[in-house]
Amino acid sequence: MIKQQNSDVRAAIKASGLKQYEVATLMHVSASYLSQLLLQPLSEGHKKRVMAAIKQGESLKGEQE
């Protein structure tokens, strides 16, 4: 079985309750661009950007509830 790239980032997205397209929107990129990014090992900069978007999405979600 092939190990999925960026499983930590994918797990963080899943744990946040956000959808991948929602994270992409918060990053101001297209969903397909984020999908392409996640197929390759992420640079530290990209990883920080994705994690920041997840954190932002979680706080926005908390405000809505």
Side-chain angles (χ1 to χ4, degrees), residues 10-19 23 54-55 57-58 61:
R10 292 173 191 273
I13 293 171
K14 190 169 192 159
S16 73
L18 296 168
K19 304 284 186 220
V23 175
I54 292 169
K55 194 173 280 193
E58 285 175 327
K61 209 169 195 165

Side-chain angles (χ1 to χ4, degrees), residues 4-11 37-42 47:
Q4 197 170 29
Q5 293 289 342
N6 306 304
S7 54
D8 56 336
V9 175
R10 292 173 191 273
L37 272 183
L38 293 175
L39 293 175
Q40 312 294 322
L42 283 176
K47 188 176 271 194

